[in-house]
Amino acid sequence: MTEHKPFPSSFTWGVATSAFQIEGASSADGKGPSIWDTFSHTPGRVIDGSNGDIACEHYYRYKEDVGLMAGLGVDAYRFSMAWSRVQPQGKGDWNEAGWTFYSNLLDELAAKNIDAHITLYHWDLPQGLQDEGGWLNRETAYHFAEYAAEVARRFGNRVKTIATHNEPWCTANLGYGNAQFAPGVADMKQSVQVSHHLLLSHGLAMRAMRAVTPSCELGIVLNQWTADAATDSQADRDLAAWEYARSVQWFMEPIFKGRYPEYALQGHGPNAPVIEAGDLEIIQGPLDFLGVNYYFRAFCSAEEPPRKPEGKLGFTDMGWEIYPQGLTELLVKLKGEYDLPPIYITENGMANPDAVTNGSVPDAARIDYVQRHLAALQAAMDEGVDVAGYFLWSLMDNFEWNSGYAKRFGIIHVDYETQERTLKDSAHWYREFIKNQRA
Ligand code: IFM
């Protein structure tokens, strides 16, 4: 692939991680357990039997990790806070040692001129709240808003953005729909109700944070895709329409239009959520930014077994089709459907079976992946989509949820025995790319 034409000079170049995937120190300094501690310690839940107890030891090595970011020359770092580190039970007392960790991290980032982009919830609900029903319990949304307000109060003037949720689709569908993720429930009725409570919690948190008037931008991060019919058959086209409605519009419409998409609501039938009077008014509200995580498109086949995409550009180590044009199509489609705020691509990247060889980590496939997605992003920007930044997922290899440590998404390799970090070729490439963009 050739080099890109320049992005706008104000464009933000970043890297992203999340708390449970890198921090480790799972019970240090008063941290309470989260549902991912419980889930990953339950035999059979994580493919390699691993957990987040140690992960990348970022809790202890954050200075080294911020130093690595500074070496890459990134403008920004997107990370999530572990709710149970700052509020062990998810309600009640705050844990000052937990707040100190994040405060120190912010200091370190500021010292290196790296903007902080916080995500409040990246799937690690305090176990104490799960014991009271988790996201199926409407009360959790109100506890979340209290936590959000406290983060905004303490850090709102020290960070660039705060996102309420990361990928609520996953919490609802993988956590409650097919049990792949914590808390491990497989019940579509619960899944749909949970998605409503997550959206409600987003709306409540936005209001609570706005009341504190932090100077940062507030928004949400959604994982999104286009849905393509595998063939021209009516069944495949119907499936694609359903997939887009239930996955993308389901989260976008309440936020941007104050209603659920009728097609999806009908499709959910008896699983449709209980929505209390006033909920949609709470959920709808202006965002300062929308975070979009893009990895692949949905390829919709009603046949049994389903047809698979041809995968002209191949598949990642997750088995995900590499399909950069889907990013252009998605963003242009969203622009046509909604009155959008500026977008950050808050995640994009690939898993690759990387290994250290003579001190280096060749990952040409990842460089190619990122280059192609950046070209696709530029194509969307050329069509008028307002994109403010791009965060590569991920800064470093980490705990990939139910895949454990078997899948490597980082541009920095982590040796989990020694915790040694080694820049992959993609990290060197990203550093040069950012430098050239600035030049
Ligand atoms: O690792 C995850 C991340 O936590 C959320 N978005 C997708 C990534 C890759 O699966």
Side-chain angles (χ1 to χ4, degrees):
M1 293 257 331
T2 50
E3 272 307 323
H4 296 266
K5 65 181 186 200
F7 281 76
S9 57
S10 60
F11 200 81
T12 294
W13 296 104
V15 285
T17 65
S18 89
F20 191 82
Q21 293 178 273
I22 64 165
E23 283 181 4
S26 61
S27 58
D29 301 331
K31 177 183 171 292
S34 80
I35 56 174
W36 268 96
D37 289 308
T38 309
F39 188 79
S40 60
H41 277 273
T42 308
R45 293 301 202 177
V46 176
I47 287 162
D48 61 1
S50 62
N51 55 56
D53 290 3
I54 296 170
C56 306
E57 280 189 348
H58 173 74
Y59 186 76
Y60 301 111
R61 296 171 182 267
Y62 71 92
K63 288 189 181 173
E64 175 188 351
D65 293 336
V66 173
L68 289 168
M69 287 177 230
L72 293 175
V74 294
D75 304 304
Y77 175 45
R78 171 177 179 251
F79 63 96
S80 76
M81 290 179 56
W83 184 352
S84 67
R85 207 178 275 295
V86 296
Q87 195 177 31
Q89 295 303 313
K91 61 180 186 179
D93 294 342
W94 303 114
N95 177 35
E96 288 308 321
W99 289 107
T100 299
F101 167 68
Y102 292 111
S103 180
N104 289 344
L105 174 60
L106 292 180
D107 282 345
E108 199 65 22
L109 290 167
K112 300 275 196 268
N113 278 323
I114 298 172
D115 286 339
H117 293 245
I118 287 182
T119 303
L120 297 175
Y121 187 77
H122 198 123
W123 310 346
D124 44 356
L125 189 75
Q127 182 62 41
L129 292 184
Q130 188 63 38
D131 295 342
E132 297 177 4
W135 287 110
L136 194 58
N137 181 350
R138 196 181 155 87
E139 282 304 304
T140 299
Y142 293 87
H143 296 309
F144 179 70
E146 282 168 28
Y147 156 58
E150 190 64 15
V151 174
R153 198 172 293 127
R154 293 185 186 230
F155 295 155
N157 299 329
R158 298 171 66 189
V159 304
K160 181 89 166 79
T161 70
I162 300 179
T164 53
H165 283 277
N166 179 73
E167 304 183 351
W169 182 95
C170 292
T171 304
N173 286 277
L174 307 181
Y176 282 84
N178 65 13
Q180 278 181 16
F181 283 8
V185 177
D187 180 325
M188 271 321 285
K189 189 165 177 58
Q190 289 192 33
S191 164
V192 182
Q193 188 64 51
V194 161
S195 69
H196 177 65
H197 290 162
L198 290 166
L199 282 161
L200 176 66
S201 77
H202 159 77
L204 291 166
M206 290 292 286
R207 287 181 175 209
M209 290 194 287
R210 295 248 191 252
V212 177
T213 61
S215 58
C216 64
E217 302 162 19
L218 305 177
I220 189 170
V221 172
L222 303 175
N223 52 325
Q224 302 193 322
W225 42 77
T226 48
D228 293 343
T231 70
D232 218 20
S233 74
Q234 190 61 47
D236 286 357
R237 284 190 282 132
D238 286 350
L239 192 63
W242 163 243
E243 173 55 29
Y244 188 72
R246 72 173 283 274
S247 294
V248 177
Q249 293 175 321
W250 186 259
F251 292 93
M252 290 292 282
E253 291 223 7
I255 294 171
F256 288 97
K257 298 186 177 171
R259 61 172 193 240
Y260 280 105
E262 197 51 41
Y263 189 64
L265 213 45
Q266 295 298 329
H268 280 309
N271 291 338
V274 175
I275 303 168
E276 292 193 8
D279 282 2
L280 286 159
E281 286 74 20
I282 292 170
I283 296 168
Q284 183 180 18
L287 302 183
D288 301 325
F289 72 93
L290 171 69
V292 172
N293 293 354
Y294 177 81
Y295 289 93
F296 48 72
R297 65 167 165 172
F299 189 75
C300 304
S301 167
E303 291 174 30
E304 267 318 324
R307 284 177 191 241
K308 298 283 173 225
E310 189 187 338
K312 282 201 187 107
L313 296 175
F315 297 83
T316 74
D317 202 28
M318 298 295 280
W320 297 347
E321 183 193 14
I322 299 173
Y323 196 70
Q325 80 185 68
L327 178 59
T328 315
E329 291 167 5
L330 170 70
L331 295 177
V332 171
K333 193 168 163 63
L334 293 178
K335 179 175 184 287
E337 291 174 354
Y338 305 98
D339 188 9
L340 296 173
I343 288 175
Y344 287 103
I345 301 303
T346 30
E347 285 183 29
N348 176 241
M350 75 180 284
N352 201 47
D354 305 313
V356 183
T357 320
N358 298 327
S360 63
V361 186
D363 60 342
R366 182 175 287 107
I367 297 172
D368 188 59
Y369 178 101
V370 174
Q371 285 187 320
R372 288 180 187 277
H373 283 80
L374 290 178
L377 188 56
Q378 274 183 327
M381 293 167 75
D382 287 346
E383 292 203 41
V385 181
D386 181 5
V387 184
Y390 174 90
F391 291 80
L392 220 165
W393 183 272
S394 177
L395 169 68
M396 57 187 160
D397 295 336
N398 56 52
F399 178 80
E400 177 55 24
W401 308 110
N402 63 336
S403 300
Y405 297 98
K407 303 294 177 192
R408 293 181 176 272
F409 272 91
I411 57 171
I412 296 177
H413 181 276
V414 177
D415 179 328
Y416 296 112
E417 296 294 316
T418 62
Q419 292 295 339
E420 190 181 351
R421 276 83 159 131
T422 307
L423 267 61
K424 301 182 188 178
D425 285 356
S426 57
H428 295 293
W429 171 83
Y430 198 41
R431 184 190 56 225
E432 292 307 303
F433 173 82
I434 294 171
K435 201 162 77 188
N436 289 338
Q437 285 293 321
R438 296 219 179 95

PDB file of all heavy atoms in Angstrom, residues 370-381:
ATOM      1  N   VAL A 370      -3.987  -1.768   8.981  1.00  0.00           N
ATOM      2  CA  VAL A 370      -4.208  -0.384   9.453  1.00  0.00           C
ATOM      3  C   VAL A 370      -4.171   0.579   8.276  1.00  0.00           C
ATOM      4  O   VAL A 370      -5.017   1.474   8.157  1.00  0.00           O
ATOM      5  CB  VAL A 370      -3.169   0.001  10.533  1.00  0.00           C
ATOM      6  CG1 VAL A 370      -3.303   1.464  10.926  1.00  0.00           C
ATOM      7  CG2 VAL A 370      -3.341  -0.887  11.768  1.00  0.00           C
ATOM      8  N   GLN A 371      -3.212   0.387   7.379  1.00  0.00           N
ATOM      9  CA  GLN A 371      -3.128   1.289   6.217  1.00  0.00           C
ATOM     10  C   GLN A 371      -4.415   1.256   5.404  1.00  0.00           C
ATOM     11  O   GLN A 371      -4.921   2.297   4.988  1.00  0.00           O
ATOM     12  CB  GLN A 371      -1.961   0.886   5.326  1.00  0.00           C
ATOM     13  CG  GLN A 371      -0.611   1.277   5.909  1.00  0.00           C
ATOM     14  CD  GLN A 371       0.512   1.026   4.924  1.00  0.00           C
ATOM     15  OE1 GLN A 371       0.507   0.014   4.229  1.00  0.00           O
ATOM     16  NE2 GLN A 371       1.475   1.923   4.880  1.00  0.00           N
ATOM     17  N   ARG A 372      -4.922   0.075   5.195  1.00  0.00           N
ATOM     18  CA  ARG A 372      -6.150  -0.038   4.390  1.00  0.00           C
ATOM     19  C   ARG A 372      -7.330   0.607   5.100  1.00  0.00           C
ATOM     20  O   ARG A 372      -8.191   1.226   4.466  1.00  0.00           O
ATOM     21  CB  ARG A 372      -6.468  -1.512   4.099  1.00  0.00           C
ATOM     22  CG  ARG A 372      -5.539  -2.141   3.095  1.00  0.00           C
ATOM     23  CD  ARG A 372      -5.919  -3.602   2.863  1.00  0.00           C
ATOM     24  NE  ARG A 372      -4.949  -4.281   2.026  1.00  0.00           N
ATOM     25  CZ  ARG A 372      -4.925  -4.242   0.694  1.00  0.00           C
ATOM     26  NH1 ARG A 372      -5.819  -3.534   0.041  1.00  0.00           N
ATOM     27  NH2 ARG A 372      -4.013  -4.909   0.019  1.00  0.00           N
ATOM     28  N   HIS A 373      -7.391   0.461   6.422  1.00  0.00           N
ATOM     29  CA  HIS A 373      -8.510   1.070   7.143  1.00  0.00           C
ATOM     30  C   HIS A 373      -8.373   2.583   7.202  1.00  0.00           C
ATOM     31  O   HIS A 373      -9.376   3.297   7.175  1.00  0.00           O
ATOM     32  CB  HIS A 373      -8.666   0.442   8.537  1.00  0.00           C
ATOM     33  CG  HIS A 373      -9.315  -0.910   8.468  1.00  0.00           C
ATOM     34  ND1 HIS A 373      -8.623  -2.046   8.130  1.00  0.00           N
ATOM     35  CD2 HIS A 373     -10.621  -1.289   8.636  1.00  0.00           C
ATOM     36  CE1 HIS A 373      -9.456  -3.083   8.104  1.00  0.00           C
ATOM     37  NE2 HIS A 373     -10.668  -2.645   8.417  1.00  0.00           N
ATOM     38  N   LEU A 374      -7.144   3.080   7.242  1.00  0.00           N
ATOM     39  CA  LEU A 374      -6.974   4.536   7.220  1.00  0.00           C
ATOM     40  C   LEU A 374      -7.366   5.094   5.852  1.00  0.00           C
ATOM     41  O   LEU A 374      -7.963   6.174   5.759  1.00  0.00           O
ATOM     42  CB  LEU A 374      -5.531   4.908   7.574  1.00  0.00           C
ATOM     43  CG  LEU A 374      -5.149   4.644   9.039  1.00  0.00           C
ATOM     44  CD1 LEU A 374      -3.683   4.994   9.284  1.00  0.00           C
ATOM     45  CD2 LEU A 374      -6.043   5.445   9.994  1.00  0.00           C
ATOM     46  N   ALA A 375      -7.064   4.350   4.809  1.00  0.00           N
ATOM     47  CA  ALA A 375      -7.489   4.794   3.476  1.00  0.00           C
ATOM     48  C   ALA A 375      -9.018   4.806   3.398  1.00  0.00           C
ATOM     49  O   ALA A 375      -9.627   5.727   2.837  1.00  0.00           O
ATOM     50  CB  ALA A 375      -6.898   3.870   2.409  1.00  0.00           C
ATOM     51  N   ALA A 376      -9.637   3.793   3.990  1.00  0.00           N
ATOM     52  CA  ALA A 376     -11.107   3.726   4.000  1.00  0.00           C
ATOM     53  C   ALA A 376     -11.688   4.877   4.816  1.00  0.00           C
ATOM     54  O   ALA A 376     -12.736   5.442   4.480  1.00  0.00           O
ATOM     55  CB  ALA A 376     -11.565   2.385   4.571  1.00  0.00           C
ATOM     56  N   LEU A 377     -10.993   5.236   5.870  1.00  0.00           N
ATOM     57  CA  LEU A 377     -11.438   6.352   6.711  1.00  0.00           C
ATOM     58  C   LEU A 377     -11.360   7.653   5.917  1.00  0.00           C
ATOM     59  O   LEU A 377     -12.283   8.480   5.942  1.00  0.00           O
ATOM     60  CB  LEU A 377     -10.539   6.411   7.946  1.00  0.00           C
ATOM     61  CG  LEU A 377     -10.921   7.365   9.059  1.00  0.00           C
ATOM     62  CD1 LEU A 377     -12.324   7.084   9.551  1.00  0.00           C
ATOM     63  CD2 LEU A 377      -9.933   7.224  10.219  1.00  0.00           C
ATOM     64  N   GLN A 378     -10.269   7.816   5.192  1.00  0.00           N
ATOM     65  CA  GLN A 378     -10.143   9.025   4.375  1.00  0.00           C
ATOM     66  C   GLN A 378     -11.231   9.091   3.319  1.00  0.00           C
ATOM     67  O   GLN A 378     -11.757  10.168   3.027  1.00  0.00           O
ATOM     68  CB  GLN A 378      -8.780   9.067   3.701  1.00  0.00           C
ATOM     69  CG  GLN A 378      -7.736   9.687   4.612  1.00  0.00           C
ATOM     70  CD  GLN A 378      -6.389   9.818   3.949  1.00  0.00           C
ATOM     71  OE1 GLN A 378      -6.023   8.983   3.116  1.00  0.00           O
ATOM     72  NE2 GLN A 378      -5.636  10.824   4.333  1.00  0.00           N
ATOM     73  N   ALA A 379     -11.579   7.942   2.774  1.00  0.00           N
ATOM     74  CA  ALA A 379     -12.652   7.936   1.767  1.00  0.00           C
ATOM     75  C   ALA A 379     -13.952   8.443   2.384  1.00  0.00           C
ATOM     76  O   ALA A 379     -14.701   9.196   1.761  1.00  0.00           O
ATOM     77  CB  ALA A 379     -12.820   6.524   1.196  1.00  0.00           C
ATOM     78  N   ALA A 380     -14.217   8.049   3.629  1.00  0.00           N
ATOM     79  CA  ALA A 380     -15.437   8.523   4.302  1.00  0.00           C
ATOM     80  C   ALA A 380     -15.331  10.026   4.582  1.00  0.00           C
ATOM     81  O   ALA A 380     -16.301  10.776   4.410  1.00  0.00           O
ATOM     82  CB  ALA A 380     -15.639   7.766   5.613  1.00  0.00           C
ATOM     83  N   MET A 381     -14.152  10.458   4.988  1.00  0.00           N
ATOM     84  CA  MET A 381     -13.967  11.893   5.269  1.00  0.00           C
ATOM     85  C   MET A 381     -14.121  12.703   3.982  1.00  0.00           C
ATOM     86  O   MET A 381     -14.677  13.801   3.994  1.00  0.00           O
ATOM     87  CB  MET A 381     -12.611  12.125   5.927  1.00  0.00           C
ATOM     88  CG  MET A 381     -12.551  11.515   7.333  1.00  0.00           C
ATOM     89  SD  MET A 381     -10.883  11.410   8.020  1.00  0.00           S
ATOM     90  CE  MET A 381     -10.574  13.109   8.447  1.00  0.00           C
TER      91      MET A 381
END
